[in-house]
Amino acid sequence: MMDVPFGVVNRRLEAAAYLAGVPLSAQFELTARCNFQCTMCYVNQPAGSSEAHRQEISADKWLAWAKEARDMGVLNVLLTGGEPLLFEGFWELYNGLFDLGLVVTLFTNASLIDEAAAARFARRKPFAVYVSLYGGSAETSERVTLVKNSLQMSLDGVDRLLAIKVPVRLRTTIIRENMHDLCALYDHAYERGIPFGSNDYIIPRRDEALVTAGTLHQTSVSLGKNMDRATPEELKAAQVILLKHMAMRTGKETKDVWDKDLHVLVEKEAGSAARYEETPFSCQAGNTAFWVNWEGNMTPCGSMMQPAFDVSVLGIHEAWERLRAACRYIPRCDSCDTCNLADTCDSCPANRLMETGSYTLPHPYLCEMAAIRKNIVE
Amino acid sequence: MKLKTGFMLREIAGEWLVVPIGDRTVEFNKLINLSESGAVLWRVLENDAEPSDLLNALKAEYDVDDETAMGDVMDFIAMLDVQGLLEE
């Protein structure tokens, strides 16, 4: 009998699950609705959208799907959105997942975690909660989320989770509107003694991707709500400042901060160490994980609208088999596969399709981002 | 001798894991990785069982002498006790 760190177990399970052709992880996107309206979000709908609300899958159905996934071998379930706590049946679903023997992780902005919610989390603790913050200051957060007092609302939720000893990790997405504020944003994590990570690459709105694909051939583009995407050089400059600040705070070398802290993506933290030879995905998507979006379609990941399989019609098992087969037919990008920047690049079937309209073409923005990350610690 | 309630033995991709369920996650927020023989013993302890029941379960499953099997049984019980998994 071994009591081992979960990451170690998960990596071993991932390799075994891949060989067996079964999923280990499921990501449930409960709703696209969110009480924040972040300018760069790829999916959000207004919290009060009755149209979006009407189309959401019931908690009963999600639980039935979770049970089916559990019976196939799924261990990890991620609940996300939009803002998952807006989902009408959230607590019914959340509590039910714990009775199925699943390890539950949550992505949230934490702003809806009041005392009552914290008390519920205290009775059934999630494995981890990833909280997205978008500004170090109230002003920056409001500018990004378009909601007054959003920063304090999120931090209050974080503090309530920490008070009941739920593991919390803070994340941010770096954009022009908040890149001046990253050190202050990091300090919210540092002062609480919790891990912090960032994402420096943003994609167009998922539901507009097929419309915009093929037209994103500039390094600075208008996305969604007319917001210009930061250039790779701007992102590099902002992250260098942040890295130095983090190094100063922690006493670590900037290289260690970059390698082990800042650019650790969620997938990497979960330990995607397996080599997936049969699909062009280097992450778990379509290999040992699937995403079910708020409309009930199973896709490889949250960035993709295709390949998609209706779980209400097929069930989880059949949808997974079809997804797995479909992923094996997605063509590779030969130049990306052989590129010496591959280990710092976000190029993947999802992002290539978003950026170029093709699975097989690299995109200059992705190439430039990979290059700046390679040399970010000089 | 019996296991506490609130744990589920799961086989995932050929590995045996003990996962806390429901309210048990409040005080037991980790996974336990069992060997195949550990899983055999775990199943026996889901009902009231004596060490002799565990011994017999191992011998039914594996070609092992009494002394070795009893040593494994006692080690397993000790580890369950340390982890706080046995009922008082």
Side-chain angles (χ1 to χ4, degrees):
Chain A
M1 175 165 67
M2 286 186 290
D3 175 10
V4 292
F6 182 65
V8 173
V9 174
N10 213 47
R11 278 189 285 277
R12 202 165 62 227
L13 291 175
E14 225 183 282
Y18 178 64
L19 288 175
V22 297
L24 183 66
S25 304
Q27 290 122 22
F28 290 170
E29 181 187 79
L30 304 181
T31 178
R33 294 180 299 119
C34 189
N35 57 331
F36 291 177
Q37 290 296 299
C38 298
T39 52
M40 71 296 180
C41 185
Y42 67 97
V43 72
N44 60 5
Q45 298 282 348
S49 168
S50 53
E51 176 65 19
H53 190 188
R54 188 182 57 76
Q55 293 180 62
E56 287 169 11
I57 307 295
S58 70
D60 276 350
K61 211 176 222 183
W62 281 113
L63 268 174
W65 292 348
K67 182 172 186 305
E68 201 183 340
R70 190 277 310 267
D71 292 343
M72 289 170 64
V74 164
L75 176 64
N76 307 305
V77 171
L78 167 70
L79 299 180
T80 184
E83 172 46 55
L85 270 75
L86 277 177
F87 176 66
E88 199 172 306
F90 177 83
W91 292 110
E92 180 190 342
L93 171 62
Y94 179 81
N95 291 331
L97 294 175
F98 279 81
D99 293 332
L100 292 174
L102 293 162
V103 175
V104 182
T105 299
L106 182 64
F107 282 4
T108 176
N109 62 38
S111 66
L112 299 178
I113 300 177
D114 55 15
E115 294 295 341
R120 289 188 185 225
F121 281 125
R123 288 195 287 274
R124 305 224 165 163
K125 284 188 188 168
F127 173 72
V129 177
Y130 290 79
V131 176
S132 301
L133 288 191
Y134 295 109
S137 68
E139 293 75 24
T140 303
S141 184
E142 183 177 332
R143 196 175 313 123
V144 175
T145 63
L146 306 182
V147 170
K148 264 184 153 30
N149 208 31
S150 53
L151 176 63
Q152 195 58 52
M153 289 158 62
S154 292
L155 289 175
D156 286 346
V158 168
D159 290 335
R160 290 187 184 109
L161 289 174
L162 292 175
I164 55 169
K165 299 189 176 13
V166 166
V168 177
R169 292 150 173 69
L170 288 190
R171 306 188 306 163
T172 195
T173 300
I174 304 174
I175 58 174
R176 280 212 175 109
E177 281 71 3
N178 68 11
M179 59 172 45
H180 64 285
D181 216 18
L182 296 178
C183 297
L185 206 160
Y186 165 73
D187 283 344
H188 292 304
Y190 178 75
E191 285 156 9
R192 289 166 173 80
I194 55 181
F196 173 82
S198 65
N199 173 33
D200 56 8
Y201 171 66
I202 55 173
I203 58 173
R205 278 191 68 90
R206 190 174 72 197
D207 50 11
E208 293 172 7
L210 293 178
V211 173
T212 57
T215 66
L216 300 172
H217 292 294
Q218 307 165 47
T219 52
S220 180
V221 297
S222 291
L223 298 167
K225 300 171 185 177
N226 297 315
M227 183 201 70
D228 288 329
R229 186 160 62 174
T231 66
E233 285 302 323
E234 286 174 325
L235 290 166
K236 178 181 178 177
Q239 289 185 94
V240 166
I241 293 171
L242 174 59
L243 273 174
K244 288 178 178 169
H245 179 74
M246 290 173 72
M248 182 269 298
R249 283 293 219 163
T250 59
K252 292 181 183 178
E253 298 292 328
T254 49
K255 186 171 185 343
D256 273 348
V257 173
W258 174 251
D259 286 342
K260 297 188 182 121
D261 299 328
L262 186 58
H263 204 61
V264 173
L265 299 176
V266 171
E267 295 83 2
K268 286 181 184 167
E269 186 179 38
S272 187
R275 303 242 345 144
Y276 301 124
E277 305 286 348
E278 295 177 7
T279 76
F281 295 92
S282 60
C283 64
Q284 294 188 55
N287 291 310
T288 56
F290 60 81
W291 182 281
V292 182
N293 66 28
W294 65 279
E295 293 164 297
N297 292 314
M298 185 185 287
T299 61
C301 74
S303 302
M304 302 183 83
M305 294 289 282
Q306 63 182 55
F309 300 95
D310 189 337
V311 182
S312 294
V313 170
L314 298 172
I316 289 283
H317 187 270
E318 182 62 26
W320 165 252
E321 292 300 328
R322 294 194 190 193
L323 181 77
R324 211 168 134 255
C327 286
R328 277 147 180 73
Y329 284 101
I330 291 176
R332 310 185 83 94
C333 172
D334 290 337
S335 56
C336 290
D337 277 354
T338 55
C339 181
N340 64 356
L341 296 175
D343 60 338
T344 58
C345 189
D346 279 319
S347 181
C348 73
N351 294 336
R352 287 193 292 272
L353 187 67
M354 285 281 202
E355 298 280 7
T356 71
S358 166
Y359 288 120
T360 63
L361 296 176
H363 189 275
Y365 188 83
L366 291 169
C367 303
E368 289 169 36
M369 287 298 297
I372 64 138
R373 290 190 196 118
K374 200 81 168 171
N375 302 310
I376 201 160
V377 180
E378 287 165 338
Chain B
M1 190 172 22
K2 198 175 166 203
L3 291 165
K4 284 180 180 171
T5 57
F7 295 97
M8 181 183 288
L9 178 67
R10 293 195 56 196
E11 185 184 6
I12 296 171
E15 298 241 4
W16 293 97
L17 290 181
V18 172
V19 182
I21 59 173
D23 296 348
R24 189 60 74 184
T25 57
V26 175
E27 102 261 0
F28 197 94
N29 201 8
K30 54 187 174 181
L31 304 181
I32 301 287
N33 196 187
L34 296 182
S35 63
E36 199 176 298
S37 59
V40 168
L41 296 177
W42 181 277
R43 288 220 182 280
V44 175
L45 278 167
E46 282 174 340
N47 303 298
D48 234 329
E50 297 299 322
S52 55
D53 298 319
L54 297 168
L55 175 72
N56 292 337
L58 276 188
K59 286 174 63 71
E61 200 65 35
Y62 304 103
D63 180 17
V64 59
D65 62 83
D66 281 11
E67 190 180 343
T68 305
M70 186 50 83
D72 289 347
V73 164
M74 298 316 291
D75 283 345
F76 188 72
I77 292 171
M79 286 187 194
L80 291 177
D81 198 32
V82 162
Q83 294 284 349
L85 296 173
L86 292 173
E87 277 187 354
E88 301 287 327

